[in-house]
Amino acid sequence: MASIRQSAVPGSQESEEQQRIRFQTELEFVQCLANPNYLNFLAQRGYFKDPTFVNYLKYLQYWKEPKYAKYLKYPQCLFFLELLQYEHFRKELVNAQCAKFIDDQQLLHWQHYQRKRLTLLQEEMASQRALQQPPKEKPG
């Protein structure tokens, strides 16, 4: 993890261990943003009204850089991180129905993706099998 982000506070020096822990903590938190129910939880407790927390969300945008994004298991969290930069979106998340709608849409997207991927894989396997079979001789 040589690409651990340098300290956000100029002049402060973190040990390598502190950098590693901060990296892991921020990675885990950013990935939690992929969960609309967690976003609703944060909104209902007023976190999105706190300017310090909103600034923290802005700071976390560095995760969009490829050298950090490659560590993400749930890349859709970057989409939500981007949406959280907008006050209107943060306000809407207080509504549980909004979070439910987002959760449903996310599930539908995953289901569609899985079906489409399966179809593409099956087509690819069929074409590979066709290429591997020797040509049939015509009786003559």
Side-chain angles (χ1 to χ4, degrees):
M1 266 187 281
S3 63
I4 293 178
R5 187 151 166 93
Q6 294 301 312
S7 178
V9 181
S12 70
Q13 296 297 319
E14 290 182 327
S15 71
E16 202 169 305
E17 177 66 10
Q18 288 170 321
Q19 287 181 8
R20 187 184 63 76
I21 290 170
R22 186 162 57 87
F23 179 85
Q24 290 174 339
T25 303
E26 290 176 359
L27 171 63
E28 185 174 330
F29 176 73
V30 166
Q31 292 195 110
C32 286
L33 300 179
N35 182 341
N37 296 307
Y38 180 62
L39 298 177
N40 175 251
F41 170 86
L42 293 173
Q44 288 183 345
R45 279 146 188 85
Y47 283 94
F48 297 141
K49 294 178 183 176
D50 179 357
T52 304
F53 191 78
V54 172
N55 283 337
Y56 181 62
L57 293 172
K58 186 179 286 188
Y59 156 77
L60 290 173
Q61 294 226 34
Y62 75 85
W63 283 97
K64 292 179 181 181
E65 297 173 27
K67 65 182 180 180
Y68 300 108
K70 69 183 178 184
Y71 293 103
L72 297 171
K73 185 175 181 179
Y74 307 105
Q76 67 273 23
C77 66
L78 296 177
F79 178 70
F80 290 111
L81 180 61
E82 178 63 32
L83 289 175
L84 287 168
Q85 304 305 309
Y86 300 97
E87 183 179 6
H88 178 72
F89 182 71
R90 293 190 305 264
K91 285 182 178 179
E92 288 296 320
L93 286 170
V94 172
N95 183 348
Q97 289 177 326
C98 176
K100 172 86 171 102
F101 176 78
I102 294 169
D103 195 37
D104 290 345
Q105 294 304 304
Q106 203 170 30
L107 181 61
L108 289 171
H109 173 76
W110 287 335
Q111 288 172 340
H112 174 74
Y113 172 80
Q114 290 287 51
R115 280 193 302 270
K116 185 173 178 107
R117 183 173 177 175
L118 181 61
T119 302
L120 290 172
L121 287 172
Q122 288 171 340
E123 290 171 359
E124 180 64 25
M125 288 174 59
S127 69
Q128 290 296 325
R129 273 190 238 119
L131 290 173
Q132 291 174 354
Q133 291 181 358
K136 295 180 182 177
E137 294 184 24
K138 294 182 183 179

